Amino acid sequence: MKRTTALRAAVAALLLTVGLGAAHAGVASAAPLPEPARPSASAGLLDAMRQDLGLTAAQAEERLRAEKSAVEVEKTARQRTGAAYGGSWFDPATGRLVVAVTDRAGEAEARALGADTRLVRHSAAALDRAKARLDTLRAPAGVAGWHVDPRSNSVVVDVVRAQRQTPAVRSFVDRARAGGLVTVAETAEAPRTYAAGTVGGDPYYTGNVRCSIGFSVYGGFVTAGHCAQAGAAVRGWDGSAMGTFQGSTFPGDDYAYVSIHSGWWTVPVVLGWGTVPDQLVRGSAEAPVGASICRSGSTTHWHCGTVLAKNETVNYSQGAVYQMTKTSVCAEGGDSGGSFLSGDQAQGVTSGGWGNCSSGGQTWFQPVNEILGRYGLRLHTA
């Protein structure tokens, strides 16, 4: 039995046993007292949110509940407002989803769902078209990436502060602005991927590269594409044969699917590394911009932050990667491929970023639902 999967299976079995026992006890009581509100997260997860987001346990629980509600509101608001939809984001200050719309009718639809609203000039479809035009351009190294920002109702181009005035960057910015709907922001560093050389005791290895498992799917797991190409052999944490990369894409996208050999099996668990209890995965509902999010990786283990942007094009030195999600969570070498979770919902696999977990930084992930669709995979859920 492999150490990591055995731990995951034991945690899942324990949680299921405790849940069934509690249900049985409730039926046996002739006149049950009202049950206290069930915590929305483990004490360890709440502690991690306190450390990384500056929240009390009560504030963290309330935020998780509000974010779960916002996911459902966002889905319905996008459908109800139609062509008037201008994007949306979660506002931590109010605990509500904000929906941008281009007309009063859309505003009324969104408010009827319990969302706050903001009237904007450009629809989400128009912003997506403007970003798609930028995706056809070749960016210099001093351009970190670009994304649609619903809060500013524009396509934001991020440039590395120290290189903003170089001729190549200025030329790219001029071409980007020529199409309209573009604003420019600065970032401290250029993004890079988070693969690392081999060290002992971590989830998997390919050649002399160490990366992190993302999420279990039936038959294997998903991870980052830059860790290895299709056909590469994978060794587990103990050095034994674990599986094979069946598909891998990078750049353009940054995702991969690894099938596992006999002797290894999958469970719907993300490691908490002792910082938080191991987390059960119950689905893959996409969290909105502004929502809290946490990451598990083999180097820096467990850290939390917020979703900063979606559908961002990230300009790595190896080439651009599209449709990425940007977060304020830190990461370091070896964390590549690791899990991003919002509550108990899988969000994506770690791709790259800048900074570290001592001084801070930003990290991007490839959304998990895109990976599942690309390879026809089914997420293993609890």
Side-chain angles (χ1 to χ4, degrees):
M1 179 182 289
K2 301 299 185 281
R3 181 192 64 177
T4 302
T5 51
L7 176 60
R8 292 173 174 173
V11 169
L14 176 60
L15 290 174
L16 290 173
T17 301
V18 170
L20 290 172
H24 179 74
V27 172
S29 175
L33 294 173
E35 293 187 5
R38 182 181 176 184
S40 58
S42 68
L45 176 56
L46 298 178
D47 189 58
M49 293 179 72
R50 175 195 58 77
Q51 176 179 309
D52 291 333
L53 297 176
L55 303 175
T56 66
Q59 288 171 334
E61 285 209 50
E62 178 58 33
R63 178 156 174 174
L64 289 172
R65 283 191 289 267
E67 289 173 352
K68 185 175 182 179
S69 174
V71 169
E72 296 304 317
V73 173
E74 180 183 45
K75 187 186 307 180
T76 307
R78 184 186 294 269
Q79 297 170 345
R80 295 273 185 89
T81 57
Y85 182 73
S88 58
W89 62 95
F90 179 78
D91 184 354
T94 62
R96 294 160 64 90
L97 188 75
V98 182
V99 178
V101 288
T102 59
D103 59 35
R104 294 292 183 183
E107 185 178 39
E109 289 282 3
R111 286 185 174 174
L113 296 171
D116 293 332
T117 58
R118 180 181 296 177
L119 280 173
V120 295
R121 182 176 180 182
H122 308 296
S123 69
L127 294 172
D128 286 343
R129 288 193 295 271
K131 179 186 176 294
R133 185 185 68 82
L134 297 194
D135 287 345
T136 66
L137 304 179
R138 185 175 181 84
V143 175
W146 49 94
H147 65 275
V148 170
D149 178 22
R151 287 165 291 197
S152 66
N153 197 225
S154 68
V155 178
V156 177
V157 176
D158 287 306
V159 300
V160 179
R161 185 174 300 113
Q163 301 183 53
R164 179 165 186 171
Q165 297 304 319
T166 63
V169 170
R170 293 176 66 179
S171 175
F172 180 88
V173 168
D174 288 343
R175 284 182 293 159
R177 281 176 165 161
L181 312 189
V182 169
T183 58
V184 179
E186 293 183 349
T187 186
E189 300 179 32
R192 62 185 184 279
T193 56
Y194 282 132
T198 299
V199 297
D202 283 304
Y204 82 88
Y205 308 90
T206 59
N208 66 342
V209 170
R210 168 171 59 86
C211 282
S212 301
I213 293 172
F215 294 97
S216 287
V217 296
Y218 287 93
F221 63 86
V222 293
T223 187
H226 69 262
C227 292
Q229 297 181 346
V234 174
R235 305 187 310 279
W237 64 268
D238 59 356
S240 66
M242 184 182 194
T244 305
F245 272 74
Q246 296 298 327
S248 179
T249 302
F250 180 79
D253 296 296
D254 192 7
Y255 49 58
Y257 163 52
V258 176
S259 64
I260 55 173
H261 300 324
S262 60
W264 295 84
W265 61 91
T266 64
V267 290
V269 174
V270 170
L271 291 177
W273 296 101
T275 303
V276 300
D278 295 347
Q279 303 292 299
L280 290 176
V281 177
R282 299 190 183 277
S284 58
E286 185 178 329
V289 169
S292 63
I293 195 164
C294 297
R295 179 193 56 73
S296 178
S298 61
T299 299
T300 58
H301 299 171
W302 189 271
H303 286 277
C304 299
T306 57
V307 177
L308 299 177
K310 295 184 181 181
N311 191 24
E312 176 149 7
T313 299
V314 180
N315 190 38
Y316 292 127
S317 61
Q318 301 94 327
V321 177
Y322 307 100
Q323 296 179 318
M324 301 273 271
T325 297
K326 178 163 65 175
T327 76
S328 64
V329 187
C330 67
E332 296 179 13
D335 287 328
S336 279
S339 323
F340 267 92
L341 282 168
S342 183
D344 57 10
Q345 300 295 302
Q347 298 298 306
V349 300
T350 304
S351 174
W354 60 268
N356 55 55
C357 289
S358 296
S359 59
Q362 296 176 341
T363 302
W364 285 263
F365 67 79
Q366 183 86 66
V368 70
N369 288 329
E370 181 182 356
I371 309 172
L372 301 176
R374 169 64 177 82
Y375 296 116
L377 303 171
R378 187 156 62 100
L379 187 68
H380 193 163
T381 58

